Amino acid sequence: MGKDIVKLHQILSLKHLGFSLNDIKNRLIPLDAPAEIADVLAEQAAAVRQKIENLSESLRELEALREEVLQMQSVNFKKYADIIVNLQMKNDFYWLIKHFDDQTLDHIRSHFDKDSGKAFLNTFLQLQDEAIRLQNAGVPADSDEGQDFAKAYWSMITDFTGGDMSMLPRLVKFGEVQNADHQWKAIQDTNGYVEQALGVYFSRLGIDPFQGENKEGTE
């Protein structure tokens, strides 16, 4: 009986370290070399470390989602799911989701997955950085460089909308979100330059995408 108690004590001690009964029976007990036991302990330590990282990430996401839930005016589990996905993607703009209307979110869900969503976000951020650079450098919006930027920016927008120009007014309204964080405010500070560059671009193409009417081209 005494041996059984000692063995139980050993098993419970090892279980405390996260080992399963199968691990204890098949991976640890058969070993007789300290170095081998140390290797198994190191593997278990790595597994525990990964669990800690995963739990820390889950905690971060829980706390962020809680703040979003409190700020939203209604219960919306579809938006909660979108927020969680964007938190998992490490998208710093996850908080913007609560400002999207349902129609725009449905469009995003149907046109983007995690990979394409990340790719689009990267393109967006690169173009915003370019807008900041051009604005700070005083590059005229109607210059070749400014118009190359406008062309790329408009291409990004049409990729996002999938050609549905009815989304443009909602995107403009969305871009005016108040109480934004520092990164979004920096983006908003370039709105004037972006609008000016696009205005020249549309004029030269002879289009007015907000009206959906063609004008006479100047090219």
Side-chain angles (χ1 to χ4, degrees), residues 194-206:
V194 172
E195 289 171 6
Q196 188 179 358
L198 287 175
V200 174
Y201 182 71
F202 296 147
S203 177
R204 291 180 178 179
L205 286 179

Side-chain angles (χ1 to χ4, degrees), residues 56-199:
S56 296
E57 186 61 26
S58 294
L59 179 60
R60 182 187 75 85
E61 293 169 6
L62 281 165
E63 291 174 339
L65 179 60
R66 179 179 180 274
E67 290 301 315
E68 295 303 289
V69 168
L70 289 174
Q71 291 177 30
M72 289 170 62
Q73 299 300 308
S74 61
V75 173
N76 190 325
F77 279 92
K78 287 175 73 174
K79 280 192 176 182
Y80 299 162
D82 290 333
I83 291 169
I84 292 169
V85 168
N86 278 269
L87 284 168
Q88 291 173 326
M89 288 168 55
K90 303 294 191 296
N91 178 4
D92 291 338
F93 299 112
Y94 69 87
W95 56 272
L96 285 169
I97 289 170
K98 64 178 173 288
H99 298 290
F100 277 117
D101 58 45
D102 288 339
Q103 189 174 353
T104 303
L105 280 175
D106 285 341
H107 170 85
I108 294 171
R109 294 182 192 111
S110 63
H111 286 76
F112 296 93
D113 57 23
K114 277 189 179 182
D115 289 337
S116 60
K118 278 186 177 179
F120 176 83
L121 180 63
N122 287 336
T123 298
F124 172 74
L125 292 176
Q126 287 169 7
L127 285 170
Q128 290 302 152
D129 286 343
E130 177 68 356
I132 292 171
R133 184 189 71 80
L134 293 170
Q135 182 170 267
N136 291 344
V139 175
D142 60 355
S143 66
D144 289 344
E145 195 174 4
Q147 287 304 288
D148 285 343
F149 163 78
K151 182 179 180 180
Y153 200 93
W154 182 239
S155 176
M156 174 194 68
I157 292 175
T158 54
D159 284 347
F160 179 82
T161 63
D164 181 3
M165 294 299 100
S166 68
M167 293 186 66
L168 291 180
R170 290 197 293 275
L171 291 178
V172 171
K173 182 179 179 181
F174 177 75
E176 297 169 350
V177 166
Q178 300 300 309
N179 301 319
D181 71 357
H182 174 75
Q183 193 173 4
W184 189 253
K185 285 178 180 175
I187 288 172
Q188 288 178 321
D189 288 342
T190 66
N191 283 349
Y193 185 87
V194 172
E195 289 171 6
Q196 188 179 358
L198 287 175

Side-chain angles (χ1 to χ4, degrees), residues 23-63:
D23 286 334
I24 295 169
K25 180 181 178 181
N26 297 315
R27 293 181 64 208
L28 276 168
I29 299 300
L31 299 176
D32 54 16
E36 292 176 336
I37 295 173
D39 286 343
V40 174
L41 293 175
E43 290 176 13
Q44 181 65 9
V48 170
R49 196 173 295 113
Q50 184 61 53
K51 287 180 181 178
I52 291 172
E53 291 178 7
N54 292 342
L55 286 171
S56 296
E57 186 61 26
S58 294
L59 179 60
R60 182 187 75 85
E61 293 169 6
L62 281 165
E63 291 174 339

